[in-house]
Amino acid sequence: KGNIFVRVARKIMSGLFDRQSDIKRGILGLSSRYGRRAYNRLVNKAGASGFASFRFKEAEAKIYKKLNKKELNALDKLIYARRIISVNANRRDTGRKGYVGMDGFSDANAQMEIEKIKNELGQDKFNDLMARADIYFETFEQNLKTLRESGRISEETYNDLKDMEYSPIKSIKYLIPENADSVDVDKEAARLGISKKDIMALSDMNENEIITDSRWLMMISIEAIERRAAENRLLTAFGDAIENATPEEKVGLEEYILDNPIVGSKKDGSPKRKYDDTKIPLGYRTVSYFKDGIKTDIIMREDMADQLLDVKTSNKALETIGKLSGTQILRFMATGGNP
């Protein structure tokens, strides 16, 4: 009898302190290997922030350690200049006009900035900063690999971007659901520390203030991408578990997941599903994931969707913004030419 009371007490405590208790029970009810994989992804997703912190600290030590204030400032300028040059080379290769940065900063200005840094610091220190900038851009290439391996971007998109010394904002458009409403976009923008305009607007010229703190840009990008990649791995596994559920298990899922079958094809050839152009019932929301860059939507009851995604309101990277001195707030249009 005592054991029964212990089990009941544990169940009550689990419900009180485990925000995901209901969705975990639902996933554990799926008997296939896909269900077990989805459960493991759900549990492991919590480690994404810790892994992002590890990646950032490792890169930070290689790139910024033992630099004085003048050298750190020069490194930020060097990274920005190299981005401008690389972005414009890419734009010329694809038949687009060159990108013009803040205050008319062009790739010609960027080249002059690089020469100025070399003359001011000397060849040895310049070579050291260039090597550190190489590691910086390699870190962002790893971000792209993470997006590709998680399925958020396709192999084609990865190949288009991997050889360019790109900005973290270059990948932000892959972190926001395409069908997100204004509330969702504002919420995600706040988590990433950027404005809604920075995600949604397109431009060939930046006329706004930009962040020149390369360390902050690296931190926010690594944190956002590792979190989104982990989320996509989870949702992909969850989608596979649903697809491979037995008829009896699918009946049990009807309580909180609406059937969203393929009903045709879109103009681009991708699958068209029932709720792509059908109003979602009150109390449900769309949860999206990507396989090789192709989006699939799951229509879930809102409370279960929140449990699956473990919705939170705080973000350590965002909280850090207020602690950084001299950091300009990002007002930078999200274009293919973003430096």
Side-chain angles (χ1 to χ4, degrees):
K1 185 181 292 185
N3 289 338
I4 294 175
F5 287 128
V6 169
R7 288 197 296 270
V8 170
R10 285 177 177 171
K11 186 173 182 180
I12 293 172
M13 294 296 285
S14 176
L16 287 173
F17 296 104
D18 186 352
R19 292 185 300 271
Q20 299 175 297
S21 57
D22 294 332
I23 194 68
K24 284 179 178 178
R25 283 196 297 271
I27 293 175
L28 287 173
L30 303 176
S31 58
S32 70
R33 61 187 175 90
Y34 299 99
R36 292 191 295 275
R37 180 185 299 166
Y39 181 82
N40 289 336
R41 293 291 193 192
L42 181 65
V43 173
N44 293 336
K45 178 177 175 286
S49 293
F51 182 62
S53 178
F54 168 78
R55 278 195 59 208
F56 170 71
K57 289 177 181 178
E58 184 178 52
E60 181 187 36
K62 293 178 181 178
I63 298 167
Y64 302 101
K65 190 175 182 180
K66 295 183 179 180
L67 293 181
N68 60 38
K69 186 175 181 179
K70 180 180 178 181
E71 292 163 348
L72 287 170
N73 184 53
L75 179 59
D76 284 343
K77 290 180 178 179
L78 187 61
I79 287 171
Y80 180 64
R82 284 180 55 170
R83 288 204 304 249
I84 289 284
I85 292 171
S86 181
V87 163
N88 278 331
N90 178 268
R91 289 174 72 89
R92 283 192 294 271
D93 289 344
T94 54
R96 293 176 291 169
K97 64 180 181 180
Y99 178 85
V100 179
M102 182 183 172
D103 296 329
F105 196 79
S106 66
D107 49 352
N109 298 126
Q111 192 60 57
M112 287 189 288
E113 184 72 53
I114 292 173
E115 290 299 319
K116 180 181 176 181
I117 293 170
K118 184 195 298 185
N119 292 334
E120 288 180 352
L121 298 182
Q123 189 68 52
D124 288 345
K125 178 51 66 176
F126 174 77
N127 290 343
D128 175 52
L129 294 185
M130 286 290 279
R132 292 170 185 262
D134 288 342
I135 299 172
Y136 182 87
F137 290 117
E138 287 167 5
T139 301
F140 283 109
E141 184 180 347
Q142 180 57 51
N143 286 350
L144 276 181
K145 289 180 180 178
T146 298
L147 289 175
R148 180 198 62 186
E149 291 165 359
S150 74
R152 288 215 46 108
I153 64 174
S154 65
E155 187 74 22
E156 180 182 4
T157 299
Y158 170 76
N159 288 330
D160 285 344
L161 300 177
K162 68 182 179 67
D163 294 325
M164 186 169 67
E165 294 179 345
Y166 66 99
S167 161
I169 307 307
K170 179 73 182 183
S171 57
I172 289 297
K173 65 180 180 179
Y174 299 109
L175 306 181
I176 306 295
E178 292 178 7
N179 61 342
D181 60 25
S182 59
V183 175
D184 290 332
V185 172
D186 285 339
K187 183 187 296 184
E188 191 59 31
R191 289 174 66 90
L192 297 174
I194 59 179
S195 74
K196 179 181 175 181
K197 288 183 179 179
D198 298 325
I199 301 167
M200 307 302 285
L202 300 176
S203 173
D204 289 326
M205 179 180 293
N206 177 50
E207 298 175 348
N208 302 287
E209 292 293 305
I210 63 169
I211 285 179
T212 56
D213 189 320
S214 60
R215 192 193 318 236
W216 185 88
L217 288 171
M218 183 173 69
M219 176 188 68
I220 201 75
S221 183
I222 291 174
E223 197 276 342
I225 284 175
E226 289 296 342
R227 179 174 56 82
R228 275 300 191 186
E231 181 177 285
N232 199 64
R233 294 186 190 104
L234 161 62
L235 294 177
T236 299
F238 186 65
D240 289 341
I242 294 171
E243 292 291 332
N244 291 277
T246 66
E248 293 79 11
E249 290 170 344
K250 287 185 177 181
V251 171
L253 293 173
E254 290 175 357
E255 179 185 353
Y256 56 90
I257 297 177
L258 299 182
D259 189 28
N260 192 25
I262 295 174
V263 295
S265 299
K266 298 179 182 178
K267 291 181 180 180
D268 62 2
S270 61
K272 180 180 179 181
R273 294 182 177 270
K274 175 182 175 179
Y275 285 101
D276 287 347
D277 52 13
T278 300
K279 187 175 181 180
I280 298 172
L282 188 66
Y284 287 79
R285 58 173 288 195
T286 301
V287 175
S288 301
Y289 65 92
F290 296 79
K291 277 189 174 183
D292 196 27
I294 298 174
K295 183 167 69 71
T296 297
D297 293 334
I298 303 173
I299 313 301
M300 294 188 68
R301 208 173 68 203
E302 289 181 347
D303 61 326
M304 296 299 278
D306 287 345
Q307 282 196 33
L308 181 63
L309 299 176
D310 196 17
V311 173
K312 301 175 184 178
T313 57
S314 65
N315 184 281
K316 290 182 180 179
L318 181 58
E319 291 167 1
T320 308
I321 296 173
K323 300 176 183 178
L324 292 172
S325 59
T327 301
Q328 298 175 340
I329 299 302
L330 180 63
R331 290 291 181 268
F332 206 42
M333 301 305 178
T335 74
N338 261 354

